[in-house]
Amino acid sequence: MTKYADIVVPVPLWKLFTYGIPEETGLKLCQAESIAYEINIQIGSRVLVPFGKSNKLTTGIVWSIHNNKPEDYETKPIAQTLDNDPILFPQQLDLWKWISEYYFCPIGDVYRAALPAGLRLESESCFYLNPDFEPENQLSQNETIILDYISNKTSASILEINKIIGLKSAHRFVKQLLEINAIFVEEKVTQKYKTKKEKVLYLGTDFRSEEALSKVFDKLQKAPKQLELLMTFIQKSGSLKDALNGKRISRNKLFSKKDNLVGSQLDLLIKKNILQQETRIIDRLDFSDIATIPISTLSDEQTNALNEIKLGFEEKKPVLLHGVTSSGKTEIYITLIEEALNKNFQVLYILPEIALTTQITRRLKLRFGNKLGVYHSKYSDNERVEIWNDLLKNKNYRVIVGVRSAIFLPFSNLGLIIIDEEHENSFKQYDPSPRYHARDVALVLGKYFNANVLLGSATPSIESYYNTKIGKYILVELNSRYKGICLPEILLVDIKDAKKRKIMVSHFSPPLLELITKALEKKEQIILFQNRRGFAPYLECKGCGWVPKCKHCDVSLTYHKNINNLICHYCGYSVDVYFVCKACEMPALNAMGFGTQKIEEEIQKIFPETKVARLDLDTTRSKNSYDKILSDFEHGKVDILIGTQMVSKGLDFDRVSLVGILNADSLLNYPDFRAYEKSFQMLTQVSGRAGRKYSQGKVVIQTSNPKHQIFNYVYENNYTNFFKEQIEERQKHKYPPFHRLVFIVLKHKNFNTVIEASKILTNLLRSIFGNRIIGPFEPHINRISDYYLQQIILKLEKTASHQNAKIQLHNSINRLLSDEKFRYVFVSVDVDPY
Ligand code: ADP
Ligand code: ZN
Ligand code: ZN
């Protein structure tokens, strides 16, 4: 062995592992789809390597090839290559490296986040019978069962053996059998990605003439069912000529799968060779042609903005498009995409949430037809693999719309990146690691491709707007709505006062109810916003004040009325609703607070004739549920839409004239330095859903603190003053964009252990970073899934070396964990937390 390859493996480790490249070219290639290729090992391609104590085969990515034998360990050889060509280009590998370094996360974590699971083959241990085995002693009953099972099946996995024995773990017996050489073990690689196949039918070769066919018809007079089937087949072929030419028709098209009787008749036709059957591989993705419409002509204001954007691109700087809601930003994006496509570039369009992709996808599909691909987690892993492969081969897709994970796709010629709603914090992945911010990563990706990057928002993040102030980005503004429609009129309602005067009806103030009534009379639509899902956040005992809490977390359980359950929104723990208080045993549990579900129920009571729908996490679990709810609303099948923050984001409905924000206080009181920024953004964005197309809309904001300065900024739509106030606060208190924040969270099942560990780590860090270290303290929620939490904050000057800080932090954590007492303390690091 003279050559070595450094390989990334999908485990949370920082290191690359060096493997030997076997000299003989006889290296086997995975026989997936039973095609064998010539092999060569290339950077960015997949290989199977033995990993860990068990030497299980896992899929690694070739990172580099060299001649340096590692000094401190014996290398193992690469077992197989999986690809003929790389599945990752240098830009993607660079991006992985950047993410790992910037976000202090193991490269293996980036790998796991980046690649669809279907591209990651893993081996499983398979057990085989030793044919020469002669038992010396009596075997136990379980051992005999296992041996019998394996000999019948030729090989078996541990999972299969567990099932047969009816035990959770048959390991003990398998181990004994291995020891006495009754069985042996080999690693078998399983493919997770499965091609989609279908059975197709065609006219048998002996019957491909009108003459032969008419003879068949005569014969089949005695079997009318088969005759009917054959006729249907010819009809589905389009014409007799097509059928005679051997056109393939999907078996499923001929009759429904459940119809067993017809199935058996069909099998008779196949037996007689009148019809023949074969299996073929089909695409999961739909590439059928779609009628497209030309892109809109831009207004003068939009054209000016477009030209300014292009000037910015010429300066090789990212451009921030700050355009009020409904100013026509999306139409500008569409024009830019078209221009990039004309130059043969690929385009990436990222959005913060899947909920948003539906509408945008529809708008873009109309323009770009089947050049448009969509990529997010509601797609099956198999579908994601096919999108990946399509891009890799540069086949169909030219524009990709997706949420954050789309930044990992194997682009090769990216010319334009659009980051829509750039202020949204759902661009940040919190758990699991890598804890990356897709906007910031997309900016880096843009650099690697020398691509144009456009960020768009009606309420830019403080960070991005600040970047335009210091000349890092170019600012382009659109100050009025398309067609000059006025921004909505905002009405602040003091609910503290209304409650005092006892004029609230459930959670609705009289002005809001009055406006809802008027809008309904005019057949206009309404959106009601409540930033909490569920029926009520919690139950409370009227007698003693007891609140049901999660067994595993320090949070109260959320009451879900429709399924009569109490659910923990942190760990998913759920129990049936209690009828009596667990503390005082009185049947006095009351629903407290209110979520979207409660609002839905209450509004239906007040307006029984009205059609009401709800958009939140609970109603949108399945792939198409967003589509369904949004399209019902769009088509006027629903009058009032109630939602969480999901309704606030970039949705475009023509006939919404009224937006009600039921309780703005919960936004402002959130314990976070971004609370005011988020409130301003949320309120402005939700308001922006009103009166988009035909006339000025109205917004009702209910609050107990109407004098709060934030409402004034929202009311005046005064971003400039809002920014000025916020940026001063940020500077004063050493927050981003002036300082970089790093959160360090420690977790352990034992409270005392985590307290002690966090003190030690704090001291270690303070000796390096001084008063840049804050803590340790208990985070807002101090126990999740039975783990106690402690937090430390590092506030680092933007000018300080990030690389240095990373090394110091890493060393300190390793020092803590090297103490046996703290070995099982989890320490997670979050750079730029949100
Ligand atoms: P934004 O993205 O800024 O919220 P949109 O692009 O969604 O705004 O535009 C708001 C509405 O105005 C949409 O219904 C859109 O179709 C329409 N619109 C915007 N610009 C044009 C244009 N140039 N021609 C025709 N319709 C437009
Ligand atoms: Zn009680
Ligand atoms: Zn919980």
Side-chain angles (χ1 to χ4, degrees):
M1 270 181 219
T2 49
K3 281 216 160 190
Y4 299 90
D6 287 349
I7 308 279
V8 194
V9 285
V11 290
L13 294 169
W14 297 82
K15 265 184 67 146
L16 298 175
F17 290 83
T18 305
Y19 285 86
I21 300 178
E23 239 167 274
E24 70 276 22
T25 42
L27 200 60
K28 281 178 295 179
L29 191 98
C30 179
Q31 303 254 321
E33 308 297 329
S34 32
I35 311 162
Y37 307 84
E38 281 285 309
I39 62 100
N40 58 349
I41 289 186
Q42 295 183 56
I43 292 172
S45 64
R46 295 173 303 161
V47 288
L48 280 175
V49 289
F51 187 76
K53 257 201 277 176
S54 64
N55 272 334
K56 265 197 183 334
L57 293 179
T58 188
T59 303
I61 304 286
V62 180
W63 193 266
S64 64
I65 295 169
H66 56 82
N67 295 316
N68 312 323
K69 185 176 159 51
E71 274 172 17
D72 32 9
Y73 62 95
E74 250 338 285
T75 57
K76 297 171 191 167
I78 289 173
Q80 280 185 19
T81 61
L82 292 174
D83 301 306
N84 223 11
D85 295 307
I87 61 147
L88 291 153
F89 299 113
Q91 286 92 341
Q92 279 93 45
L93 294 180
D94 286 347
L95 197 70
W96 288 20
K97 185 159 177 253
W98 185 86
I99 292 174
S100 158
E101 284 180 355
Y102 184 83
Y103 292 106
F104 294 10
C105 73
I107 189 97
D109 281 354
V110 187
Y111 170 9
R112 279 204 288 205
L115 226 57
L119 290 175
R120 248 174 29 219
L121 318 191
E122 256 151 41
S123 75
E124 196 185 24
S125 305
C126 275
F127 300 95
Y128 298 84
L129 205 63
N130 176 3
D132 303 326
F133 172 65
E134 302 267 346
E136 281 169 19
N137 300 314
Q138 182 78 34
L139 294 174
S140 76
Q141 194 192 350
N142 276 330
E143 288 168 343
T144 318
I145 296 174
I146 295 173
L147 278 188
D148 283 350
Y149 180 68
I150 297 180
S151 69
N152 284 335
K153 275 203 66 197
T154 62
S155 84
S157 72
I158 191 76
L159 279 180
E160 290 168 327
I161 295 172
N162 282 350
K163 243 192 224 153
I164 284 301
I165 299 283
L167 285 178
K168 261 228 175 97
S169 170
H171 268 289
R172 192 153 56 94
F173 306 111
V174 171
K175 214 174 134 207
Q176 276 158 19
L177 288 170
L178 280 170
E179 270 168 17
I180 56 171
N181 284 326
I183 57 175
F184 59 91
V185 59
E186 237 175 51
E187 292 296 307
K188 200 166 115 191
V189 178
T190 46
Q191 172 93 274
K192 271 178 256 169
Y193 168 71
K194 297 248 164 20
T195 50
K196 192 171 175 179
K197 291 180 182 146
E198 69 170 3
K199 287 188 177 144
V200 288
L201 299 162
Y202 56 96
L203 199 58
T205 33
D206 296 343
F207 302 89
R208 297 245 184 110
S209 70
E210 286 187 39
E211 210 191 337
L213 208 53
S214 75
K215 268 191 201 147
V216 171
F217 283 145
D218 287 345
K219 262 199 194 151
L220 285 184
Q221 294 297 346
K222 276 176 274 160
K225 283 256 163 61
Q226 292 174 37
L227 183 62
E228 194 188 320
L229 256 176
L230 187 59
M231 301 290 265
T232 318
F233 171 82
I234 293 170
Q235 190 199 346
K236 298 260 176 193
S237 303
S239 68
L240 181 63
K241 199 171 146 228
D242 283 340
L244 289 177
N245 280 334
K247 184 167 173 184
R248 265 63 172 165
I249 297 296
S250 157
R251 187 180 160 114
N252 293 339
K253 269 197 186 154
L254 224 51
F255 65 98
S256 101
K257 241 188 205 157
K258 288 181 208 117
D259 209 339
N260 286 330
L261 265 176
V262 185
S264 58
Q265 296 293 324
L266 183 64
D267 290 337
L268 289 175
L269 282 178
I270 295 171
K271 220 173 174 183
K272 294 178 200 158
N273 274 332
I274 299 172
L275 289 181
Q276 291 180 327
Q277 182 166 280
E278 67 184 17
T279 307
R280 69 171 178 194
I281 295 172
I282 54 170
D283 267 321
R284 284 192 175 77
L285 311 168
D286 182 10
F287 292 113
S288 54
D289 273 330
I290 303 163
T292 54
I293 58 166
I295 61 174
S296 317
T297 320
L298 298 183
S299 69
D300 288 349
E301 227 205 321
Q302 285 171 324
T303 310
N304 287 342
L306 180 74
N307 290 334
E308 285 178 46
I309 292 170
K310 287 190 199 161
L311 284 176
F313 288 164
E314 269 168 35
E315 283 188 48
K316 287 286 150 220
K317 282 184 185 174
V319 177
L320 172 66
L321 176 60
H322 176 203
V324 296
T325 50
S326 207
S327 54
K329 295 184 290 295
T330 314
E331 295 299 324
I332 295 181
Y333 303 155
I334 289 172
T335 311
L336 285 166
I337 294 172
E338 168 110 326
E339 291 182 10
L341 292 185
N342 287 341
K343 290 183 196 148
N344 232 342
F345 282 122
Q346 295 169 319
V347 178
L348 170 63
Y349 187 136
I350 57 168
L351 286 154
E353 285 211 30
I354 300 173
L356 276 180
T357 56
T358 308
Q359 265 201 347
I360 292 290
T361 305
R362 224 178 304 148
R363 269 171 94 173
L364 297 186
K365 267 245 146 83
L366 271 177
R367 269 42 179 262
F368 305 113
N370 56 27
K371 285 193 202 120
L372 184 81
V374 184
Y375 191 78
H376 58 64
S377 57
K378 290 265 150 111
Y379 281 77
S380 73
D381 201 71
N382 284 328
E383 285 170 312
R384 279 186 278 169
V385 170
E386 289 183 13
I387 296 173
W388 189 284
N389 287 336
D390 185 89
L391 273 175
L392 210 54
K393 292 180 196 126
N394 231 327
K395 265 162 63 183
N396 294 287
Y397 293 140
R398 309 301 301 158
V399 188
I400 294 289
V401 173
V403 293
R404 54 182 184 236
S405 57
I407 54 168
F408 293 115
L409 282 168
F411 296 102
S412 51
N413 186 26
L414 200 51
L416 174 66
I417 301 177
I418 291 166
I419 305 163
D420 198 5
E421 311 291 344
E422 67 84 25
H423 63 278
E424 275 293 338
N425 51 341
S426 28
F427 275 125
K428 168 84 181 183
Q429 164 144 322
Y430 174 63
D431 240 354
S433 160
R435 301 185 171 82
Y436 65 100
H437 196 298
R439 173 194 62 207
D440 300 341
V441 177
L443 283 155
V444 175
L445 184 67
K447 255 191 225 151
Y448 292 155
F449 279 100
N450 215 357
N452 295 327
V453 181
L454 181 64
L455 304 104
S457 172
T459 51
S461 62
I462 297 289
E463 283 84 350
S464 295
Y465 201 78
Y466 178 74
N467 277 336
T468 69
K469 294 271 176 206
I470 58 171
K472 254 176 103 172
Y473 301 170
I474 303 290
L475 178 67
V476 175
E477 292 188 294
L478 268 176
N479 291 319
S480 58
R481 289 188 149 186
Y482 179 67
K483 285 216 169 131
I485 287 174
C486 292
L487 282 167
E489 182 189 330
I490 292 177
L491 185 71
L492 283 164
V493 178
D494 185 344
I495 43 171
K496 204 156 123 202
D497 176 66
K499 275 182 191 155
K500 228 190 268 161
R501 294 196 282 135
K502 301 211 179 335
I503 53 170
M504 292 288 280
V505 181
S506 156
H507 300 286
F508 313 99
S509 61
L512 178 58
L513 283 180
E514 194 180 313
L515 287 170
I516 295 178
T517 312
K518 271 192 196 156
L520 288 175
E521 275 167 11
K522 284 195 265 172
K523 298 258 175 281
E524 292 166 349
Q525 289 177 309
I526 298 149
I527 291 179
L528 296 178
F529 170 77
Q530 171 61 16
N531 205 19
R532 256 180 191 158
R533 64 197 165 98
F535 181 77
Y538 59 102
L539 296 181
E540 190 181 279
C541 173
K542 233 178 162 179
C544 71
W546 178 78
V547 173
K549 286 197 157 193
C550 177
K551 257 166 79 174
H552 312 285
C553 314
D554 172 41
V555 286
S556 48
L557 292 166
T558 300
Y559 176 38
H560 286 251
K561 197 185 175 198
N562 54 344
I563 45 172
N564 214 26
N565 256 352
L566 295 170
I567 300 178
C568 171
H569 281 193
Y570 283 82
C571 72
Y573 169 77
S574 77
V575 279
D576 289 345
V577 164
Y578 306 124
F579 292 106
V580 295
C581 168
K582 292 270 172 191
C584 72
E585 300 197 338
M586 293 235 300
L589 289 172
N590 264 4
M592 302 297 291
F594 59 108
T596 40
Q597 203 186 339
K598 179 89 179 285
I599 298 295
E600 184 185 17
E601 198 177 291
E602 301 277 307
I603 204 83
Q604 195 73 77
K605 264 190 226 151
I606 304 174
F607 300 100
E609 306 289 295
T610 307
K611 279 159 287 167
V612 181
R614 176 157 61 94
L615 187 74
D616 58 25
L617 254 181
D618 298 318
T619 60
T620 55
R621 298 215 185 271
S622 67
K623 181 174 165 190
N624 296 318
S625 45
Y626 292 104
D627 278 9
K628 171 90 178 72
I629 296 169
L630 294 180
S631 100
D632 280 358
F633 193 54
E634 243 171 333
H635 294 111
K637 287 189 202 156
V638 166
D639 306 307
I640 303 181
L641 182 66
I642 295 154
T644 53
Q645 33 86 26
M646 271 188 198
V647 298
S648 76
K649 295 174 184 173
L651 296 171
D652 183 23
F653 301 110
D654 296 348
R655 276 178 299 149
V656 174
S657 69
L658 175 67
V659 166
I661 294 159
L662 294 167
N663 184 356
D665 302 343
S666 60
L667 297 171
L668 289 168
N669 298 336
Y670 202 75
D672 176 49
F673 74 96
R674 285 195 176 90
Y676 289 177
E677 180 189 356
K678 283 181 193 159
S679 306
F680 176 83
Q681 288 162 342
M682 191 89 89
L683 294 172
T684 308
Q685 292 284 350
V686 184
S687 307
R689 302 313 118 209
R692 288 170 71 86
K693 199 116 189 200
Y694 304 115
S695 60
Q696 187 185 20
K698 286 200 167 63
V699 178
V700 176
I701 302 179
Q702 302 191 145
T703 166
S704 31
N705 191 4
K707 296 232 159 59
H708 200 294
Q709 187 62 349
I710 285 294
F711 295 127
N712 202 22
Y713 297 138
V714 174
Y715 185 81
E716 293 177 348
N717 190 36
N718 196 336
Y719 183 86
T720 321
N721 283 359
F722 153 76
F723 174 78
K724 238 187 237 154
E725 184 194 278
Q726 284 301 303
I727 202 81
E728 277 167 19
E729 290 286 310
R730 298 280 188 96
Q731 186 151 30
K732 200 162 98 198
H733 296 113
K734 301 192 171 165
Y735 278 120
F738 303 97
H739 280 67
R740 188 170 276 138
L741 290 187
V742 181
F743 283 3
I744 301 136
V745 175
L746 295 92
K747 285 203 299 194
H748 196 274
K749 287 209 169 174
N750 183 309
F751 180 70
N752 292 329
T753 310
V754 76
I755 292 280
E756 204 181 329
S758 65
K759 279 185 187 151
I760 293 173
L761 186 59
T762 305
N763 286 339
L764 284 170
L765 292 171
R766 202 161 269 146
S767 70
I768 303 160
F769 296 104
N771 61 5
R772 294 177 190 84
I773 291 292
I774 299 160
F777 55 87
E778 243 169 39
H780 186 47
I781 289 163
N782 69 6
R783 190 168 67 112
I784 296 177
S785 304
D786 289 330
Y787 281 85
Y788 289 92
L789 311 182
Q790 284 289 308
Q791 191 177 7
I792 304 168
I793 295 179
L794 167 62
K795 277 185 180 175
L796 210 57
E797 293 87 348
K798 266 282 161 77
T799 47
S801 156
H802 194 62
Q803 183 61 19
N804 231 348
K806 174 189 148 181
I807 294 169
Q808 303 277 22
L809 186 58
H810 200 71
N811 289 345
S812 305
I813 293 172
N814 279 346
R815 254 182 82 182
L816 173 78
L817 299 185
S818 66
D819 186 338
E820 211 163 322
K821 199 169 162 195
F822 302 120
R823 183 135 316 151
Y824 297 106
V825 174
F826 285 96
V827 185
S828 67
V829 175
D830 188 358
V831 179
D832 299 343
Y834 265 76

